[in-house]
Amino acid sequence: MANASGLFSPTLPSLKKRVYPSIGLYRSDLSKRVFCSSTIELGSGVSPSESRIPKLVSKGCKLVGCGSAVPKLQVSNDDISKLVDTSDEWISVRTGIRNRRILSGQESLTDLAVEAAKKALLMAETDPADLDLILLCTSTPEDLFGGAPQIQKALGCKKNPLAFDITAACSGFILGLVTAASYIRGSGFKNVLVVGADSLSRFVDWNDRGTCILFGDAAGAVLVQSCSSDDDGLLSFDLHSDGEGQRNLNASIKQTEVDNGSALNFPPRQSSYSCIQMNGKEVFRFAVRCVPQSIEAALGKAGLTSSNIDWLLLHQANQRIIDGVATRLQIPQERVISNLANYGNTSAASIPLALDEAVRSGKVKPGQTIAASGFGAGLTWGSAIVRWG
C-alpha cells in the first residue's frame, strides 16, 4: 500500500549557508505541516545537523474556471432493459442512476475533452497560449501513448506546453488537482489545465447486468491558477493506493488464443483489454469504509471538520455510496452535490462534471469550501479540500 498527504505553507525568511537535504515530504513536529524540501539557506550559526527544516512554499493555487461536455446519445434504464434482464426500478433503487450518455457516431473522447477545456478557459478568461501544462486524467485514451497532446493541439497552444496523461481511473481527477498544485508550487507554473475524461462504455460487456447499467461517458475540466499563499484554494489532500484490491475492479490485458506455432511464443500474440470486471459488493464495502476516512484525514490536515465545509462532492459511482459517506460524516443531503441520476459513473470525469453543473447553476459560489473525493480501480482513492474561485 502506498499513500501521500499534503498541506502547503508560506516561505521561511532567507538565510545564508547552503545545504542540500534529500528531496521528499517532511512533517514538522512543531507545525504539523508537510513541506516540499529543496535547497535551504542557513545562517552561520546553524549547523548541518540542525538543517533538516525544509524550504516552505510561497505560492498558492486556486480553481478559477470549469467546463464539461457529454455525448449526444442518452441511454435510459428502459433502453438497458432491452439488452439484459433488468428494469428502471431495479437499477434506480440499487444505484440511483436513470440515464447515461454514450459516445456514438462521429463523436470522440478527445472532442469532449477539448470542449470541456474551452469552456473552463473561457470562464477563467485565460488564453490557451498562457497554459503551462495540460493534464488529461483518463483510463481510456484514444491513443495508447496518451491523449493530452491532442488537447494541446486542438486548443491551439502556441508555446508547446507540456501535456501528459494521468491514469488512475475514478481517482484520476483528484490526482490531477494535486499534480497541478505541485507544478505550480514547485516549478513556478502559472496556469495548469486539468481535464478528466473517460469513455468506459467502450470497455463494458453489454450482456453483463452487473456493470453495463453503471457507466457513461463524459469530460470535465478545471483551470488551476497560481496565486498568493493568502488566496490558496487547495487546502489539503490525502491520497492512497492498494494493489491488493485490483482483483475486485479491473480491465486487464488479454491475448488472442491463436497459436503462433512457436515454442518460444514469439512473435507475441496481439493483445487487447478485457471488459470491465467488478465485484460490486467488495467495491461498495471499500468505498464506504475508506472514503470517509480519507476525507476526515484531509479535513484534519486543513484544520477543519465536516461542519466547516459547504459542499461534499464525491466521485459519482453509486448513490448509496454517496449517501453512506454523507451519513458517516454527518453532512446533510442539501450540502451534497450529485448528478449521478443523469450521467451514471463517468470515472475521472464525474467530479469536474458535477462541479461544473453546480457552479453554473449558482449552487457553488466563490469562496465556498468543497470536500471532494475520488475512488476506484487500482484500487486508488483520495480526497482534496478545495476552495472554489
Side-chain angles (χ1 to χ4, degrees):
M1 178 180 287
N3 67 78
S5 62
L7 187 71
F8 301 105
S9 303
T11 52
L12 281 171
S14 105
L15 303 167
K16 294 182 180 176
K17 187 175 177 184
R18 198 177 287 265
V19 297
Y20 298 89
S22 59
I23 296 174
L25 291 177
Y26 296 78
R27 182 175 297 279
S28 165
D29 291 334
L30 298 177
S31 63
K32 303 298 184 182
R33 296 172 180 173
V34 176
F35 311 119
C36 297
S37 72
S38 62
T39 300
I40 303 170
E41 302 288 342
L42 295 175
S44 58
V46 181
S47 69
S49 64
E50 298 171 327
S51 64
R52 299 180 184 274
I53 302 175
K55 180 180 179 182
L56 307 184
V57 182
S58 61
K59 280 291 184 182
C61 63
K62 57 184 179 180
L63 284 61
V64 295
C66 57
S68 61
V70 297
K72 297 176 182 177
L73 177 62
Q74 178 174 284
V75 177
S76 68
N77 290 345
D78 289 333
D79 295 325
I80 298 291
S81 68
K82 298 174 183 177
L83 301 176
V84 293
D85 182 17
T86 189
S87 66
D88 175 66
E89 181 182 10
W90 193 92
I91 298 172
S92 60
V93 167
R94 287 163 177 78
T95 69
I97 301 168
R98 294 190 176 276
N99 295 287
R100 70 282 295 146
R101 299 295 185 98
I102 303 297
L103 282 171
S104 65
Q106 300 301 310
E107 293 177 312
S108 75
L109 185 65
T110 301
D111 291 339
L112 294 183
V114 171
E115 182 181 346
K118 287 180 176 178
K119 290 178 180 177
L121 290 170
L122 183 62
M123 180 185 289
E125 298 181 345
T126 299
D127 193 279
D130 294 325
L131 290 176
D132 300 300
L133 173 64
I134 298 172
L135 301 172
L136 174 59
C137 310
T138 185
S139 296
T140 56
E142 293 173 322
D143 188 310
L144 178 65
F145 301 129
Q150 294 304 305
I151 299 176
Q152 177 214 71
K153 173 186 173 183
L155 291 176
C157 301
K158 298 177 182 178
K159 298 179 182 178
N160 297 110
L162 175 64
F164 64 89
D165 290 15
I166 293 176
T167 302
C170 305
S171 305
F173 183 75
I174 296 296
L175 270 66
L177 284 181
V178 175
T179 302
S182 298
Y183 272 93
I184 289 172
R185 301 178 196 281
S187 301
F189 287 20
K190 295 182 179 179
N191 292 292
V192 180
L193 181 67
V194 183
V195 182
D198 266 312
S199 54
L200 290 182
S201 67
R202 294 169 171 170
F203 296 91
V204 165
D205 179 356
W206 290 97
N207 295 311
D208 177 10
R209 185 177 72 166
T211 57
C212 75
I213 63 174
L214 299 174
F215 299 103
D217 307 329
V222 166
L223 183 69
V224 184
Q225 195 170 74
S226 65
C227 64
S228 69
S229 58
D230 292 337
D231 295 326
D232 193 15
L234 177 56
L235 308 182
S236 65
F237 61 87
D238 178 78
L239 306 175
H240 300 269
S241 62
D242 183 4
E244 290 291 339
Q246 186 261 359
R247 64 184 182 275
N248 294 319
L249 181 54
N250 62 80
S252 301
I253 199 168
K254 65 178 183 178
Q255 296 180 329
T256 61
E257 299 298 326
V258 178
D259 188 355
N260 58 19
S262 170
L264 298 176
N265 200 27
F266 181 84
R269 300 171 182 176
Q270 289 188 338
S271 299
S272 61
Y273 289 96
S274 69
C275 291
I276 296 171
Q277 308 293 316
M278 184 178 71
N279 183 329
K281 290 183 179 179
E282 289 303 317
V283 173
F284 182 90
R285 289 170 184 163
F286 144 71
V288 296
R289 181 182 72 254
C290 293
V291 173
Q293 293 173 353
S294 178
I295 293 174
E296 287 173 337
L299 285 169
K301 292 164 192 171
L304 302 174
T305 67
S306 59
S307 63
N308 298 127
I309 65 171
D310 297 293
W311 300 103
L312 175 66
L313 174 53
L314 304 183
H315 163 53
Q316 307 288 291
N318 184 304
Q319 191 61 46
R320 291 195 295 172
I321 293 176
I322 296 173
D323 293 342
V325 174
T327 299
R328 163 76 179 270
L329 297 174
Q330 298 182 327
I331 297 176
Q333 286 300 314
E334 58 267 23
R335 288 166 49 202
V336 178
I337 297 172
S338 176
N339 65 354
L340 176 70
N342 297 324
Y343 303 109
N345 181 342
T346 57
S347 191
S350 76
I351 291 176
L353 171 62
L355 175 64
D356 183 50
E357 289 195 339
V359 169
R360 292 179 186 275
S361 69
K363 179 180 289 187
V364 172
K365 297 176 174 57
Q368 291 189 324
T369 302
I370 304 168
S373 186
F375 50 91
L379 295 171
T380 60
W381 66 102
S383 303
I385 310 302
V386 300
R387 183 182 297 114
W388 173 252

